């Protein structure tokens, strides 16, 4: 299958700082990228959907000013957690899709720890 | 928006037996239903998917059935093996193509 690379795999940051997570589709053009948050032993909670060149669509309850999403090209989307707090500590994972209603390929995820 | 419910949350089966996981969805416009397997510490991987114009699809030991009228779909794993132990997620795409995942099923296959 197609390859989606997410970077970094893990990051530790101090409270109040910002962290950027990158999601790249390596061998296909991703018209849509999804960002999820996954708590231990829980499901994938969709945070936002981003389409290349347009503003991301956020799910209810997700603060768009806190979780900044940029999808500047067909192969790269970034999630920036601004002014991070310990409660933002989680596993963040992206997925990329070439065409609507087709398989979405997942990145390896980023373990964020805010201290 | 789409709401996907998945049952059971945990499933323990003996090696060689079959496992069945069921999901229901709410958006009648949904037309793509993938199943993902996530092993501990790894990314979810697609194992099988089905579209709304098909009622059943099979790939070796894995099969998925879809009942559009009742808005439910199921994953069937036959002749289970220890390597089938993982968390399985169903998903449905809504009218905007967004994936909404079920809560997941922890499958444990005991030798």
């Amino acid at each position: 299958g197609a390859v989606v690379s997410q970077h970094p795999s893990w990051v530790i940051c101090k409270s109040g700082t910002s962290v950027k997570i990158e999601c790249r589709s390596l061998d296909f053009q991703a018209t849509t990228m999804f960002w999820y948050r996954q708590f231990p032993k829980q499901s994938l909670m969709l945070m936002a959907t981003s389409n290349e060149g347009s503003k991301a669509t956020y799910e209810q309850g997700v603060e768009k000013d806190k979780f900044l999403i940029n999808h500047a090209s067909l192969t790269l989307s970034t999630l920036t957690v601004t002014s991070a707090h310990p409660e933002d500590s989680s596993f963040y994972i992206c997925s990329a899709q070439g065409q609507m209603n087709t398989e979405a390929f997942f990145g390896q995820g980023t373990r964020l720890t805010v201290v | 928006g789409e709401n996907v419910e998945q049952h059971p949350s945990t499933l323990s089966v003996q090696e060689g037996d079959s496992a069945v996981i069921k999901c229901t969805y709410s958006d009648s416009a949904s037309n793509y239903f993938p199943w993902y397997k996530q092993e501990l510490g790894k990314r979810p991987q697609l194992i099988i998917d089905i579209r709304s114009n098909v009622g059943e699809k099979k790939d070796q030991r894995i099969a998925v059935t879809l009942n559009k009228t009742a808005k439910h779909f199921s994953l069937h794993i036959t002749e289970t093996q220890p390597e089938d132990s993982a968390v399985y997620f169903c998903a449905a795409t809504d009218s905007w193509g967004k994936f909404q995942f079920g809560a997941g099923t922890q499958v444990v296959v005991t030798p």
Side-chain angles (χ1 to χ4, degrees):
Chain A
V3 179
V4 175
S5 177
Q6 190 172 336
H7 178 82
S9 299
W10 60 271
V11 58
I12 301 173
C13 71
K14 291 184 178 180
S15 263
T17 61
S18 296
V19 173
K20 180 185 280 189
I21 302 170
E22 292 187 347
C23 181
R24 292 181 184 272
S25 58
L26 299 185
D27 52 1
F28 71 103
Q29 294 185 325
T31 54
T32 306
M33 286 188 173
F34 304 94
W35 287 95
Y36 297 88
R37 186 170 177 175
Q38 187 175 34
F39 291 101
K41 297 186 178 181
Q42 292 192 24
S43 187
L44 299 146
M45 287 181 48
L46 181 64
M47 298 174 65
T49 303
S50 74
N51 292 292
E52 184 265 340
S54 59
K55 288 185 179 180
T57 304
Y58 290 81
E59 295 300 297
Q60 196 170 10
V62 178
E63 298 176 59
K64 62 180 180 180
D65 294 330
K66 179 166 185 62
F67 299 99
L68 300 178
I69 290 172
N70 183 276
H71 193 163
S73 77
L74 284 170
T75 58
L76 174 64
S77 176
T78 59
L79 166 68
T80 302
V81 183
T82 63
S83 186
H85 290 284
E87 56 265 31
D88 298 325
S89 299
S90 190
F91 187 66
Y92 294 87
I93 191 165
C94 70
S95 70
Q97 189 182 45
Q99 294 179 23
M100 189 171 168
N101 293 330
T102 60
E103 179 180 357
F105 298 92
F106 283 85
Q108 63 266 51
T110 297
R111 172 72 58 192
L112 170 64
T113 303
V114 185
V115 296
Chain B
E2 178 70 274
N3 181 42
V4 177
E5 294 193 358
Q6 182 172 347
H7 300 280
S9 55
T10 58
L11 181 59
S12 184
V13 295
Q14 282 239 283
E15 183 177 359
D17 288 349
S18 295
V20 180
I21 305 170
K22 298 182 180 182
C23 288
T24 61
Y25 62 98
S26 60
D27 187 350
S28 56
S30 293
N31 58 14
Y32 177 62
F33 308 91
W35 284 89
Y36 284 83
K37 175 184 180 181
Q38 186 177 28
E39 296 177 20
L40 190 63
K42 297 188 176 179
R43 74 187 80 191
Q45 300 271 14
L46 181 78
I47 55 171
I48 196 166
D49 56 10
I50 191 168
R51 297 186 186 283
S52 58
N53 58 345
V54 175
E56 185 174 356
K57 185 176 178 181
K58 191 173 180 180
D59 182 4
Q60 298 183 336
R61 296 187 297 109
I62 296 172
V64 56
T65 58
L66 171 65
N67 184 326
K68 281 214 71 179
T69 304
K71 288 190 281 189
H72 67 69
F73 56 114
S74 301
L75 177 72
H76 303 253
I77 306 173
T78 59
E79 300 172 29
T80 53
Q81 300 168 4
E83 51 264 39
D84 294 329
S85 296
V87 179
Y88 292 80
F89 294 100
C90 63
T93 55
D94 65 14
S95 310
W96 290 271
K98 292 188 295 183
F99 282 62
Q100 295 291 354
F101 284 85
T105 297
Q106 174 75 62
V107 174
V108 177
V109 180
T110 53

